[in-house]
Every structure is written in C-alpha cells, then in structure tokens.
Amino acid sequence: MILALSTLVPSGVLLLWPLLVAATSGAIAGDGFSFWLGHRYHREILGLWPLNRNPDLIERSEAFFTRHGDKSIFLARFTPGVRAFIPLLAGMLGMPVRRFYAVNVASALAWAPLHVLPGVLAGAAFGIFGAAAKPLAILLIVLVVAGWAVLHVVRWTLRRGISLLIVGVERLRAWAGAHDTWLGRNLASLFDPLQNEARALALPMVLLIGAAWLFFGVLEDVVSGDPLVLADGAIYRALQDLRTAPGDALMIVITELGDTPVVVAVTIIIFLWLAWKRAWRTAAYWIAAIAGASALNTAIKVALHRARPGESLYPGWSAFSFPSGHSTVNMVLYGFSRLPYSA
C-alpha cells in the first residue's frame, strides 16, 4: 500500500515529506502499541485470538528475539512474519521502555524511506507516458488493492472456507436424517448421491435465479437510463488515455477468444470430444448452453439498441454494446468447459 501511494508523489497527488512523516509515525506507533500490549498483559495475551492461531510464528519470534536481543527490534522491522510479534515479546520480557523506543524510532526512520522512495522512483518512471501518467498510477493502486483483497479471500477460502462448507453440509445432512419432515426428506434426498441428478441441480438453480435477478436488475437500470450506467463515456475516455500499441495487441488477442470463429471451433471440438466419450447428455447441455447464451444476448441487444460509447468496430447487431457478446459467450464457453462431464 505504501509503495503504491508513493507512486503518486511525482504527479503531485501526494507530497513526499508528509508521506514520509506519516509512514514513520505509523511504524513507530504500531510497534509502540504492540510493545505496550506485551508490557501490560504479559504472556496471557498470547492465548487470545488471533495470536493463539499462530503458535509456530510465536515460537519463531521468540527464537529470533533470543538470538538477536535488542537488535531484534530493528531487524524484525524488515523481516516478514516475526515483525508482528517481536515488539509484543519485547514488552512481555520486560525490555526497558527507553531502550525499546530508541531502537523503534531508529528502525522506523530507516524503514519508511526504504519503502517510500522506491515507489517515488517508480512513479517518476511514469513520466515517460505523458498525460497517461496519473491514470496509470491510479490504476496501479487499484490493481494492488484488488490483488491484495483477492489474495486474502482466496487464502481464507482455501484455509477455512472449504472446511467450513464441508462441516456445514455434514451438519445439514445429519439434521435432515434426524427429522422426518417434508424439508428433512427433501434435504436428505438432495445430498443422496444415488438420487436423480435433477435434485442435485436444485442449489445451482437457486444460484441461477439469483444471478438472473441481478442481471435483470442491471438491465432495468440500462433501460431506465440510471445515472450510474451513463458513466460509459467517462470510463471510455479514461481508458483511452492508457492505450499503448502493445496493450492494444494484447486486448485484441483476449477479445478474439470470444469471436465467432473461435467460439464455433471450440464448441465443435468439445462437442466431438463429448460424443467420443459418449457423454450425450452433457453434449446436449453444452450445445444448449452456447446456443441459449448467444440467442439471449442477441435478443437483448436487438431490443435495447444501446450504442457503444466509442467508435464501433463491429457490423450489424454486434455494434450494440449491451450485453457484451464476448463476455456472455466467454463465460459460458470457458466456464462450462471447466465443469466435469457426466457420462
């Protein structure tokens, strides 16, 4: 986050010295608060959430502090993982306050410039892009924040989400088996792998209905001219400032993955593969999904006649922008291809 914000300094969005002061002050205050917690609550704080979820990291931090002593406060500032626990351990083990803050302040004074100045240099490099420098810097921040959020969501899902889902399904199955009611019987049959697959499609059908409700809500906003959807022009002009020849070439390659020749070729290849595997039912679903998505997309395009915000490169019905034919067909085409088939 600090690196991303620092890239805005050369463009004048942020000032260098206030950013350095803020980063240094935040570093000093963060470690100082951690030191106070350890000094105030001692070792009992390690048994509280979320500290008690990281016993291995606590053990590593204690070994780090034992090995480096007072220098660990400085070194931990630049060491991922243990730096979250070293100030806390220093407070727990009774490190003198004056000595702690002397090292704390010195490490923050070294840490802040080493994080801010590389970002400033990166931001200065954006100068070669001319008028596109500021939008590029803002885009970089958005990408960094979005990447950080996605990384943590995926990590949580892999660590906790899947196990919680399995536990939840097992509890629901046990509850259904213990209750001889209409709801219990239907839930039990839903989770029974020997039952007809139509019941197993109940949950995806609910998700489909919810997605359709959301889509048609957006469609209503488009038809009524909601101010939010009128931002097309501003977004289009902002993206034009970011255009480069290599970027255009890359976007064309990605777009071509949803063009008619590619869609037809992939559809035929997967259909023939499913036919070779004698997965006739899945093959029928496959053709129905591609044809249905294309037909629905074209019908809405023809009904709305929503023009593209910039110059259209496509003839006929494809000249209309909502809904996006490439996005719709790509989602069905490559999303369906990732699903396991059933013979």
Side-chain angles (χ1 to χ4, degrees):
M1 182 67 72
I2 292 175
L3 287 170
L5 290 175
S6 301
T7 61
L8 299 178
V9 171
S11 62
V13 176
L14 293 177
L15 299 178
L16 176 59
W17 289 110
L19 184 59
L20 281 171
V21 170
T24 305
S25 302
I28 294 172
D31 278 12
F33 180 67
S34 182
F35 176 81
W36 176 83
L37 287 175
H39 185 77
R40 170 67 176 81
Y41 295 102
H42 305 291
R43 198 167 189 85
E44 63 190 47
I45 195 174
L46 297 179
L48 302 178
W49 184 91
L51 301 180
N52 58 3
R53 304 301 301 271
N54 299 276
D56 295 339
L57 191 53
I58 292 175
E59 184 177 343
R60 284 173 46 202
S61 301
E62 289 181 323
F64 188 91
F65 188 84
T66 302
R67 183 166 62 251
H68 298 290
D70 294 350
K71 293 184 296 183
S72 62
I73 305 298
F74 190 97
L75 297 175
R77 180 81 72 181
F78 305 91
T79 308
V82 298
R83 68 182 177 193
F85 290 93
I86 292 298
L88 184 72
L89 292 171
M92 288 168 39
L93 298 176
M95 182 176 181
V97 176
R98 290 185 179 180
R99 191 187 309 167
F100 168 79
Y101 272 100
V103 184
N104 183 23
V105 172
S107 64
L109 290 173
W111 175 86
L114 288 176
H115 281 70
V116 172
L117 295 181
V120 174
L121 293 176
F126 281 110
I128 63 175
F129 295 104
K134 188 178 294 186
L136 277 174
I138 296 174
L139 179 62
L140 176 62
I141 293 177
V142 173
L143 291 176
V144 169
V145 174
W148 177 87
V150 170
L151 175 64
H152 281 71
V153 169
V154 171
R155 184 179 297 173
W156 182 89
T157 301
L158 293 177
R159 288 182 177 179
R160 299 286 299 159
I162 297 177
S163 59
L164 290 175
L165 177 62
I166 294 174
V167 170
V169 169
E170 291 298 327
R171 289 181 177 178
L172 191 58
R173 179 182 296 175
W175 180 90
H179 292 76
D180 188 17
T181 61
W182 178 86
L183 179 60
R185 289 191 297 271
N186 279 275
L187 285 176
S189 63
L190 178 64
F191 293 121
D192 188 352
L194 300 179
Q195 292 290 335
N196 189 286
E197 68 176 5
R199 293 182 179 273
L201 292 174
L203 181 57
M205 186 61 67
V206 171
L207 296 177
L208 177 62
I209 293 173
W213 175 82
L214 179 62
F215 172 77
F216 285 109
V218 174
L219 178 61
E220 180 186 9
D221 291 338
V222 172
V223 173
S224 61
D226 189 274
L228 180 62
V229 300
L230 298 180
D232 282 3
I235 297 173
Y236 173 78
R237 289 188 293 272
L239 292 177
Q240 293 308 300
D241 293 335
L242 304 177
R243 290 185 62 176
T244 61
D248 286 353
L250 176 62
M251 293 302 174
I252 290 173
V253 170
I254 296 174
T255 299
E256 289 300 320
L257 294 176
D259 252 15
T260 301
V262 178
V263 170
V264 172
V266 173
T267 301
I268 293 175
I269 290 172
I270 293 183
F271 177 80
L272 293 177
W273 181 74
L274 291 172
W276 180 64
K277 292 289 187 178
R278 298 187 181 278
W280 301 111
R281 183 181 301 174
T282 305
Y285 286 158
W286 168 249
I287 296 298
I290 300 299
S294 301
L296 179 62
N297 179 271
T298 302
I300 298 176
K301 280 181 180 290
V302 173
L304 292 186
H305 279 66
R306 181 174 177 81
R308 297 178 184 271
E311 179 182 356
S312 178
L313 302 177
Y314 299 97
W317 294 338
S318 297
F320 303 124
S321 67
F322 184 86
S324 168
H326 288 77
S327 299
T328 303
V329 176
N330 279 356
M331 184 65 190
V332 176
L333 184 73
Y334 301 109
F336 194 105
S337 300
R338 294 292 297 172
L339 295 176
Y341 72 89
S342 171

